């Protein structure tokens, strides 16, 4: 679960960019799924029923955090990102990670989190 400035905006971004589906919807909380699996939860930053989610004295989010999504349809996901997501900030375009021997693309979401989509480990080679 990550905190967001706008759950609806972040939900829309993850649905459009990663192809996830809404399983909850709402202004304060969202569950995003891939098939039957919950893969990400979004929580409004200013809703306080989970008092340990963030330090209210430190408004920064995501520093040092990478949200990593392994994809078995990496080429399709990369094509969708490039073709239909003009507002997506690509930090590092499709490349081979030689240590993991797979493909990766690094993005930044609307709240500043780093988002990595990778093909399965040891797929390239």
């Amino acid at each position: 679960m990550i905190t967001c400035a706008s759950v609806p905006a972040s939900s829309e971004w993850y649905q459009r960019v990663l192809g996830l589906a809404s399983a909850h919807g709402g202004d304060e909380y969202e569950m995003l799924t891939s098939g039957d699996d919950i893969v990400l939860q979004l929580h409004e930053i200013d809703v306080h029923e989970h008092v340990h989610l963030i330090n209210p004295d430190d408004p920064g989010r995501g520093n040092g955090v990478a949200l990593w999504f392994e994809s078995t349809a990496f080429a399709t996901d990369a094509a969708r990102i490039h073709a239909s997501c003009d507002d997506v900030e690509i930090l590092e375009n499709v490349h081979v990670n030689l240590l993991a021997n797979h493909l990766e693309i690094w993005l930044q979401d609307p709240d500043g989190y780093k988002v990595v989509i990778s093909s399965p480990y040891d797929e390239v080679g």
Side-chain angles (χ1 to χ4, degrees):
M1 180 162 47
I2 60 173
T3 58
C4 305
S6 169
V7 169
S10 290
S11 176
E12 186 278 329
W13 190 91
Y14 279 96
Q15 289 179 63
R16 181 170 42 88
V17 175
L18 298 187
L20 300 178
S22 172
H24 185 276
D27 292 335
E28 297 180 355
Y29 175 77
E30 171 71 285
M31 283 188 303
L32 296 170
T33 60
S34 177
D36 292 331
D37 297 320
I38 297 172
V39 296
L40 185 62
Q41 297 175 70
L42 308 174
H43 199 286
E44 184 73 28
I45 195 166
D46 291 329
V47 177
H48 299 292
E49 73 252 13
H50 296 296
V51 297
H52 301 291
L53 275 180
I54 73 163
N55 176 349
D57 297 326
D58 180 6
R61 291 185 299 284
N63 189 24
V65 174
L67 302 174
W68 209 282
F69 298 90
E70 183 178 284
S71 172
T72 56
F74 183 85
T76 300
D77 292 336
R80 179 181 58 250
I81 290 165
H82 286 111
S84 64
C85 302
D86 293 335
D87 64 335
V88 174
E89 184 176 352
I90 296 175
L91 301 174
E92 194 169 350
N93 215 333
V94 175
H95 64 280
V96 175
N97 176 324
L98 295 174
L99 296 174
N101 206 32
H102 65 199
L103 297 171
E104 296 177 356
I105 185 170
W106 286 62
L107 314 171
Q108 184 163 296
D109 87 352
D111 289 290
Y113 291 99
K114 306 321 178 255
V115 176
V116 183
I117 297 94
S118 74
S119 65
Y121 178 79
D122 210 24
E123 181 184 76
V124 177

